Amino acid sequence: MKNILLVFLGGGFGSVLRYIIGKYLNNAENGIPYGTFAANILGSLLIGIILGFAAKNDTLSQNQTLLLATGFCGGFTTFSTFAYENHVFLKSGDFTSFALYTIASFVIGLLAVFFGMYLVK
């Protein structure tokens, strides 16, 4: 039960922070989801740092890892919003934005995880 509570609390904080970032960075005029992109890239960097610390000499407990990686990063990043925003790009025929957003999110997100893990080595 404690593990569920830790994930719940971390996820709640992550979701609220993602909402705030999206509110201020997503661009309604041109439809470019900078907020979602930023949350997903920052979340990828953070999970790399968190799991890098967890792997390095057991510096984080299992509870801390659950709260921060599974809970916070899980709530902060969002695949469902990313998928929906890509649906909107495709439906509107904006294939360039679709391709750029999808490729940049994947490549930069993956690099952010590696960079986060590198930072804690």
Side-chain angles (χ1 to χ4, degrees), residues 32-80:
I32 297 180
Y34 294 116
T36 305
F37 181 77
N40 285 337
I41 300 306
L42 286 172
S44 296
L45 177 63
L46 284 172
I47 205 166
I49 292 170
I50 292 163
L51 294 179
F53 272 126
K56 183 181 180 181
N57 302 329
D58 295 321
T59 52
L60 291 177
S61 71
Q62 180 183 2
N63 288 340
Q64 290 169 320
T65 303
L66 279 173
L67 175 74
L68 298 172
T70 306
F72 181 80
C73 289
F76 184 58
T77 59
T78 175
F79 185 77
S80 57

Side-chain angles (χ1 to χ4, degrees):
M1 187 64 169
K2 179 181 177 182
N3 292 349
I4 292 171
L5 183 60
L6 289 169
V7 172
F8 173 77
L9 290 173
F13 284 115
S15 295
V16 168
L17 185 56
R18 176 176 30 91
Y19 168 76
I20 292 168
I21 289 173
K23 182 176 168 101
Y24 289 102
L25 294 182
N26 284 346
N27 190 329
E29 288 180 19
N30 63 15
I32 297 180
Y34 294 116
T36 305
F37 181 77
N40 285 337
I41 300 306
L42 286 172
S44 296
L45 177 63
L46 284 172
I47 205 166
I49 292 170
I50 292 163
L51 294 179
F53 272 126
K56 183 181 180 181
N57 302 329
D58 295 321
T59 52
L60 291 177
S61 71
Q62 180 183 2
N63 288 340
Q64 290 169 320
T65 303
L66 279 173
L67 175 74
L68 298 172
T70 306
F72 181 80
C73 289
F76 184 58
T77 59
T78 175
F79 185 77
S80 57
T81 302
F82 168 76
Y84 173 74
E85 289 162 348
N86 275 307
H87 164 77
V88 171
F89 284 140
L90 289 173
K91 191 172 180 180
S92 69
D94 190 353
F95 300 110
T96 303
S97 292
F98 164 76
L100 288 173
Y101 183 49
T102 300
I103 292 167
S105 293
F106 179 75
V107 171
I108 296 171
L110 189 59
L111 290 173
V113 169
F114 282 106
F115 185 63
M117 302 219 35
Y118 172 79
L119 287 175
V120 297
K121 276 189 172 184

